[in-house]
Amino acid sequence: MALKTEKSKARFYCSQCGNEASRWFGRCTSCGAWNTAVEAPVVPAAGRGRAGTRWAPGAAPGARQPRPLAAVETRDMPRARTGIGELDRVLGGGIVAGSLVLVGGDPGIGKSTLLLQLAIALAGAGRKVLVVSGEESERQVRMRASRIGPVPDGVLVLCETDIEAVLEAVRSAAPDVLIVDSIQALSRADLEGGPGSVTQVRECGLMLMHLAKNEGPSVFLVGHVTKDGAVAGPRVLEHMVDAVLYLEGERYQHYRTLRAAKNRFGSTHELGVFEMEERGLIEVENPSAAFLSETRGPEPGSGVVASLEGTRPLLVEVQALVSSSFYGVPQRVTSGLDPKRLAVLLAVLERRVRLRLGRHDVFVTVTGGLRLDEPATDLGVALAVASSFLARPVLERTLLVGEVSLAGELRRVPRIAERVREAAQLGFVRAVVPAAQRAELRGLGVEVVPANDVRESIDRVLGPRVTPPPPETRGGTELERGAERRGRPVPPPGAARSSAESPPAAAPRGGAADEPAGWSR
């Protein structure tokens, strides 16, 4: 009987939505996700302690009665500038008092470095910051801070994994900002399960949310991510915080991008760009120039697009490589681009432009580790692929803007004038745009090339061939293509062939030359 009592204490939670069930389930009945059941002990109501402290914003403990929404006083939420312009941009203008922000990213991407820079910048402006590290010692934190620069006295450090001890330290130190690195390292002693379990992450996050809303300090949480790129732990953690920021980028590249997946106090379309250096993450003043490669001249397979990230356009170079496939199924490899979107663009090129790409491998990458999700970059991707296939480079200093429909037509894109104006400031001389938006681009100092569809864009902005195209895309006899495969030089058109390369004399119609080998009359 005792065994049955112990067994009944275990509950199962969905790691995606936090739905609770009394027994194991294969498919969550709340969100429909498969294989997300995680076993966790039941949190005893009597053992919650301070975790059960109720919170009501701007009200006394005994005055929690419903009130008319129209009677609630409204005022602008005060924001504190962080001293890091790119971070302020993503947060919506600065830190809101009492906010709870979750920062996620791959291991080694720079999450701890960014938040340590934030602590130093805020302390330099006269604010008190408490850094709680559950994964490093005080000495290790000090070593990392030394690489960033001088450490003000306003930065406090606490190496602790017990959430109760962290809350006591916050109440005694009364910091303006609390940084926790990481939420998966914290735990409560009265709960079963180790740090990082579903119950521990949910309850510790709930206690820190009560702290931020009730006592006022802004709280930043570092969250580990899974192999799928989502923050580890229950999905409910992302629902309870005010903002979810993701620090992205290739680990072995020096550029990092900061995006907001959720932001209750600002836009989720803003993008912050940093460069990883020995001194930490340095703001990139001109991201468009950073994402453009410095080549000596136009090369086939390259195109420049303008992606709108929040309030500013970014000029990014897209590179494509098309080669003959040696496999039964051609490869379609992308980096920084949705593979399904590339498949649609390849189908448009095959059907509408008559480019035979079905037997070729296609590789597309976005320079700088940036990811393109906006449809306005379709034209640049399509022309980069066509340029590589035809060995005809895009004209130098040309911007490509336009959404490609399934019919191959160019559709309108929002805020096209801002994109072209950014290109003009960087020295671009022409821009290929949808013909319907030509009138919106007068007086910007660049040549506007209107186009109705992809075929017209290829005819107008692809230059002459600079390298021999693949044998499948040009004329010539089978003997010439065979000679090229064997490494022999192919004679120019009209040149006399040698006796070894001369084709045999044509036999009379109906003669032996027309009969397959092995046939006899």
Side-chain angles (χ1 to χ4, degrees):
M1 189 70 180
L3 180 62
K4 185 176 181 180
T5 303
E6 292 294 329
K7 187 176 180 180
S8 64
K9 292 183 179 179
R11 304 282 290 182
F12 292 88
Y13 299 88
C14 175
S15 59
Q16 293 293 325
C17 64
N19 182 44
E20 182 179 345
S22 59
R23 61 180 181 176
W24 183 89
F25 52 87
R27 183 175 183 268
C28 178
T29 58
S30 177
C31 65
W34 287 90
N35 300 324
T36 58
V38 179
E39 185 177 2
V42 177
V43 180
R48 290 181 179 268
R50 279 184 294 271
T53 301
R54 299 178 61 190
W55 161 76
R64 294 168 186 168
Q65 299 296 328
R67 53 188 303 199
L69 181 61
V72 177
E73 297 180 0
T74 60
R75 61 180 184 271
D76 294 335
M77 298 290 289
R79 293 180 182 266
R81 293 286 180 176
T82 65
I84 305 176
E86 296 297 300
L87 180 58
D88 287 337
R89 174 190 294 272
V90 177
L91 289 175
I95 303 175
V96 177
S99 60
L100 183 63
V101 181
L102 177 63
V103 181
D106 293 331
I109 204 69
K111 305 182 296 296
S112 301
T113 301
L114 176 63
L115 293 184
L116 190 56
Q117 288 181 234
L118 170 64
I120 294 176
L122 291 175
R127 294 181 174 86
K128 184 185 293 187
V129 183
L130 175 59
V131 178
V132 177
S133 177
E135 302 169 350
E136 294 179 291
S137 64
E138 297 179 356
R139 219 174 255 186
Q140 291 174 326
V141 177
R142 182 64 177 91
M143 289 174 58
R144 287 197 297 111
S146 300
R147 298 199 309 266
I148 298 174
V151 181
D153 295 334
V155 179
L156 308 178
V157 61
L158 173 66
C159 296
E160 184 59 66
T161 58
D162 185 11
I163 186 64
E164 302 284 349
V166 171
L167 295 181
E168 290 295 336
V170 171
R171 292 187 177 98
S172 62
D176 299 312
V177 176
L178 171 65
I179 298 175
V180 178
D181 187 7
S182 64
I183 183 62
Q184 282 83 9
L186 296 181
S187 62
R188 279 179 50 186
D190 58 338
L191 295 180
E192 298 182 12
S197 62
V198 174
T199 304
Q200 293 285 6
V201 172
R202 184 185 67 245
E203 293 299 322
C204 292
L206 186 62
M207 295 176 71
L208 291 172
M209 184 191 72
H210 289 173
L211 173 71
K213 304 305 179 183
N214 193 23
E215 302 188 16
S218 302
V219 181
F220 285 81
L221 307 177
V222 174
H224 300 315
V225 298
T226 62
K227 61 181 181 180
D228 298 328
V231 176
R235 197 74 174 182
V236 69
L237 179 63
E238 298 186 26
H239 294 298
M240 71 173 63
V241 300
D242 297 314
V244 180
L245 310 183
Y246 282 99
L247 189 62
E248 303 171 338
E250 297 293 335
R251 183 176 180 181
Y252 300 103
Q253 292 187 1
H254 52 281
Y255 287 116
R256 302 287 188 267
T257 57
L258 185 66
R259 295 178 180 269
K262 171 187 177 181
N263 192 355
R264 290 173 177 165
F265 310 114
S267 172
T268 58
H269 301 292
E270 295 292 348
L271 179 74
V273 183
F274 299 89
E275 184 176 4
M276 178 63 78
E277 295 184 359
E278 186 178 357
R279 297 179 293 119
L281 291 169
I282 307 301
E283 299 177 70
V284 178
E285 297 180 358
N286 192 348
S288 296
F291 290 126
L292 296 178
S293 64
E294 299 178 0
T295 57
R296 292 177 295 179
E299 293 290 339
S302 177
V304 179
V305 300
S307 176
L308 201 61
E309 302 292 343
T311 58
R312 67 179 176 187
L314 291 181
L315 267 60
V316 186
E317 183 177 3
V318 178
Q319 297 178 348
L321 178 63
V322 181
S323 62
S324 300
S325 178
F326 297 97
Y327 303 94
V329 179
Q331 300 183 79
R332 303 290 188 256
V333 182
T334 64
S335 176
L337 187 71
D338 185 7
K340 294 182 180 180
R341 189 59 186 169
L342 175 62
V344 172
L345 295 176
L346 294 181
V348 171
L349 292 174
E350 179 105 18
R351 183 70 174 176
R352 306 299 180 185
V353 192
R354 303 297 182 185
L355 297 183
R356 294 180 292 177
L357 298 167
R359 293 184 297 175
H360 292 77
D361 296 331
V362 180
F363 307 90
V364 177
T365 182
V366 180
T367 60
L370 192 68
R371 181 170 183 83
L372 298 179
D373 298 319
E374 194 185 11
T377 60
D378 288 349
L379 181 61
V381 177
L383 261 64
V385 173
S387 171
S388 176
F389 182 74
L390 300 173
R392 297 173 54 190
V394 178
L395 296 180
E396 196 172 4
R397 292 294 175 181
T398 300
L399 178 68
L400 307 172
V401 182
E403 179 184 354
V404 178
S405 68
L406 293 181
E409 300 172 343
L410 297 187
R411 293 178 173 175
R412 291 174 172 269
V413 298
R415 298 166 60 183
I416 191 171
E418 298 182 25
R419 306 172 196 257
V420 178
R421 189 178 295 109
E422 177 73 12
Q425 294 176 356
L426 293 176
F428 282 72
V429 297
R430 70 180 60 84
V432 182
V433 300
Q437 294 183 283
R438 180 178 184 178
E440 303 177 22
L441 304 174
R442 296 175 180 173
L444 296 181
V446 297
E447 176 189 355
V448 178
V449 182
N452 294 297
D453 51 32
V454 179
R455 180 187 291 272
E456 184 178 352
S457 303
I458 293 176
D459 294 338
R460 301 194 68 174
V461 296
L462 291 191
R465 294 176 178 173
V466 295
T467 57
E472 291 83 352
T473 64
R474 66 178 184 183
T477 64
E478 181 65 29
L479 183 63
E480 290 175 333
R481 292 195 291 268
E484 183 172 353
R485 287 193 296 267
R486 292 191 297 271
R488 297 179 181 177
V490 180
R497 294 185 176 92
S498 63
S499 58
E501 297 176 348
S502 299
R509 186 173 184 82
D514 287 339
E515 297 177 358
W519 280 33
S520 60
R521 292 182 179 275

